Amino acid sequence: MSPPIEFGVEGVTDTEGIVIPNPLTVNDIAARRAGAPKLVAGTAAWTSSDLFKSPATGKPKAKRWDHLLSTETKARKPSTLKGAAKYLKNPGLISLGGGLPCSEYFPIGELDFTVPSVPNFSEEDTKSSGISVKSGKYDLSEGKSAYDLSVALNYGQGTGSAQLIRFVTEHTELVCNPPYADWECCLTVGSTSALEQALRIFTERGDYMMSEEYTFATAVETAAPLGVRCIGIKMDSQGLQPENMDEILSNWDVKARGARKPFLLYTVPSGQNPTGATQGEERRRALYKVARKHDVYILEDEPYYFLQMQPYTGADVPDAPAPASNEEFLRALVPTLLSMDIDGRVMRLDSFSKVIAPGTRVGWITASEQIVERFVRHNEVCSQNPSGLSQLVLYKMLDESWGHDGYLKWLINLRLEYTSRRNVILEACERYLPGDVVKWNPPAAGMFLWLEVDWRKHPKVDSKDYAAIEEEIFLAAVAQGVLVSRGSWFAADRDFLPTRMFFRATFAAASSDKMTGAIERFGVAIRESFGLK
């Protein structure tokens, strides 16, 4: 049995001693593009992040993960038909070999939409000063754009379009600067789909996946049909506790558990769903250290990463100053697990769902070349790639209209908007919830507020069990006209017997008045259930 890890001790390895080049900047991206050949990527063009990254001078290569790959993923072979597309770039080639439809028969001739102009992001500003964006069918061949409808509406590669891969690769380097050389990006149809594919890359039926003890319910529901069970890691106000993860792994009994020692961790480090907890930098480093000790591969799901907010200063207290520049904004973000990953043991799941729109169904993963290659093989026989229309719209807005500078300013705008929303719900809680029964921690990121109810103070605690009291409070809230989510719905281990009671409220969508009214109604429900005045 291996001893628990010592969290105060920092080991140094040869790879940790390597000096990583200076991080990429927005100006560096502009200069690099100016000096690079013009991007020409037509129908089903092959692409790779290697085409768009900085030189990897001084960075080590990722470790190999053959010993963790599933039987299913090892059996996947490259798509014969997708592979033949590499010849389409040959000058003068006449293709009779593929099944690509003729773009002449795509019944969409032009796309026209309006996006905000930087930095005037409000709906009212967009109506008066928004940018009109157009995309024609043959803009690429006519020299008007690097991407058009004839390309976007046709089949593509399993990586996604070169045009959007370039943008997300640059963005990932700008934000995360992975400290190993052979990292790659691949587009996804959202993080839920990416999680399902990741589970099939790594797990076999009967395996366990680790996660926070309360986790995204869909993650558990994604794993279950694959025969993968979840084991919850204890949490505190900063989310997952690495020492508990180390304890579980150090004392894993294969015979008693009926399964091999877990080697896959699914975690939402920022604004965790459902708890709203955010792992600080030292917490993330401690987690990564435990992962290295036990050879754990990490799925870093970060849909809320850019919804990190200003510190909560309290009701009737001026807000903390907003970031004065893109550089200050990036420095204020908690470093990602990917940015600490010297082994290539992290697959980061990014998504446009929370920062642009969920209906785009576009996200991306970042992982080592070996793992991304396996992911692409799955894409080729599954989703293939995200909707071409979605990719085109995102490219025209993010790359052609805003650029990296404008996109970061949009993310700063979201930071301030979500800070305001978070503050509204917290002030309502302070005003309307009975503090001797309901407690909460101000979330530093995300969309959720995790309310702890001291159910042991309930007048019927001697005659009703936990589930019955939770049900009573939930239905009392519904009767008052407010819907909150029961904490038990988010238990990673469905056999878990909770001792603390929680309810999840979201501050993402309702107006300020409605949020305040909803919390007031929840307070009435709590008081009625507990017999309080």
Side-chain angles (χ1 to χ4, degrees), residues 390-533:
S390 288
Q391 292 187 67
L392 180 61
V393 167
L394 288 168
Y395 169 79
K396 299 292 283 189
M397 178 173 68
L398 298 176
D399 199 306
E400 283 195 356
S401 301
W402 289 355
H404 288 284
D405 178 76
Y407 183 48
L408 291 176
K409 286 182 169 64
W410 166 254
L411 295 175
I412 292 172
N413 172 69
L414 284 184
R415 178 186 180 99
L416 300 179
E417 290 291 329
Y418 272 83
T419 296
S420 176
R421 287 180 161 276
R422 186 269 320 267
N423 291 352
V424 167
I425 201 169
L426 289 176
E427 290 166 15
C429 288
E430 292 168 4
R431 182 175 180 182
Y432 292 115
L433 298 186
D436 55 336
V437 172
V438 187
K439 306 291 184 186
W440 59 89
N441 290 309
M447 299 177 164
F448 306 112
L449 179 62
W450 195 233
L451 299 166
E452 181 173 5
V453 176
D454 189 349
W455 68 284
R456 298 188 187 281
K457 292 182 178 179
H458 196 278
K460 299 177 184 175
V461 69
D462 292 329
S463 58
K464 284 189 172 185
D465 63 9
Y466 176 101
I469 293 175
E470 184 190 46
E471 174 83 356
E472 178 182 317
I473 295 170
F474 172 75
L475 293 178
V478 171
Q480 288 296 327
V482 59
L483 183 66
V484 291
S485 297
R486 294 163 62 165
S488 60
W489 293 346
F490 302 96
D493 181 350
R494 294 304 164 90
D495 296 325
F496 172 63
L497 297 176
T499 57
R500 299 166 69 188
M501 184 176 293
F502 299 96
F503 291 87
R504 190 195 75 174
T506 179
F507 47 89
S511 68
S512 296
D513 289 345
K514 287 186 176 180
M515 267 195 288
T516 299
I519 292 299
E520 182 177 9
R521 294 176 186 185
F522 186 63
V524 171
I526 290 288
R527 285 186 169 84
E528 286 186 355
S529 181
F530 279 77
L532 303 174
K533 293 183 179 180

Side-chain angles (χ1 to χ4, degrees), residues 24-31 174 326-327 330 403-406 408:
L24 189 70
T25 68
V26 171
N27 289 337
D28 291 338
I29 294 172
L174 187 65
N326 289 339
E327 292 73 23
L330 290 173
H404 288 284
D405 178 76
L408 291 176

Side-chain angles (χ1 to χ4, degrees), residues 301-377:
D301 189 6
E302 280 284 35
Y304 312 105
Y305 182 74
F306 293 106
L307 301 186
Q308 294 180 49
M309 295 171 279
Q310 301 292 95
Y312 182 61
T313 53
D316 303 320
V317 177
D319 292 338
S325 65
N326 289 339
E327 292 73 23
E328 186 177 321
F329 167 66
L330 290 173
R331 287 194 299 270
L333 298 172
V334 182
T336 66
L337 287 167
L338 179 63
S339 73
M340 306 170 184
D341 182 20
I342 58 175
D343 297 334
R345 68 172 65 250
V346 173
M347 177 192 287
R348 180 177 167 91
L349 283 63
D350 273 290
S351 173
F352 289 116
S353 291
K354 304 303 189 294
V355 295
I356 299 294
T360 62
R361 302 318 303 144
V362 180
W364 73 98
I365 62 158
T366 307
S368 67
E369 181 180 29
Q370 179 193 17
I371 299 304
V372 169
E373 187 272 339
R374 291 291 86 196
F375 197 94
V376 172
R377 297 290 81 83

Side-chain angles (χ1 to χ4, degrees), residues 171-189:
H171 176 74
T172 298
E173 186 175 352
L174 187 65
V175 175
C176 301
N177 191 24
Y180 63 94
D182 51 333
W183 60 274
E184 296 272 348
C185 295
C186 174
L187 298 190
T188 71
V189 292

Side-chain angles (χ1 to χ4, degrees), residues 154-212:
N154 221 315
Y155 288 110
Q157 293 289 331
T159 52
S161 68
Q163 293 85 348
L164 203 52
I165 281 289
R166 178 175 66 173
F167 187 87
V168 301
T169 297
E170 293 166 343
H171 176 74
T172 298
E173 186 175 352
L174 187 65
V175 175
C176 301
N177 191 24
Y180 63 94
D182 51 333
W183 60 274
E184 296 272 348
C185 295
C186 174
L187 298 190
T188 71
V189 292
S191 293
T192 300
S193 173
L195 172 61
E196 192 265 351
Q197 289 184 219
L199 289 171
R200 292 175 69 167
I201 287 172
F202 289 106
T203 62
E204 309 282 359
R205 299 192 74 83
D207 280 345
Y208 275 92
M209 174 182 74
M210 296 176 289
S211 72
E212 289 90 349

Side-chain angles (χ1 to χ4, degrees), residues 95-154:
S95 175
L96 301 178
L100 302 175
C102 177
S103 58
E104 180 181 346
Y105 304 120
F106 299 161
I108 302 174
E110 186 175 86
L111 198 63
D112 190 344
F113 57 98
T114 303
V115 302
S117 60
V118 180
N120 305 306
F121 294 118
S122 73
E123 284 191 337
E124 289 303 312
D125 285 337
T126 303
K127 289 177 183 178
S128 60
S129 64
I131 304 168
S132 179
V133 178
K134 291 186 178 182
S135 180
K137 187 182 282 189
Y138 301 112
D139 286 354
L140 179 57
S141 61
E142 293 171 359
K144 298 177 181 177
S145 175
Y147 202 15
D148 64 20
L149 285 164
S150 73
V151 175
L153 293 176
N154 221 315

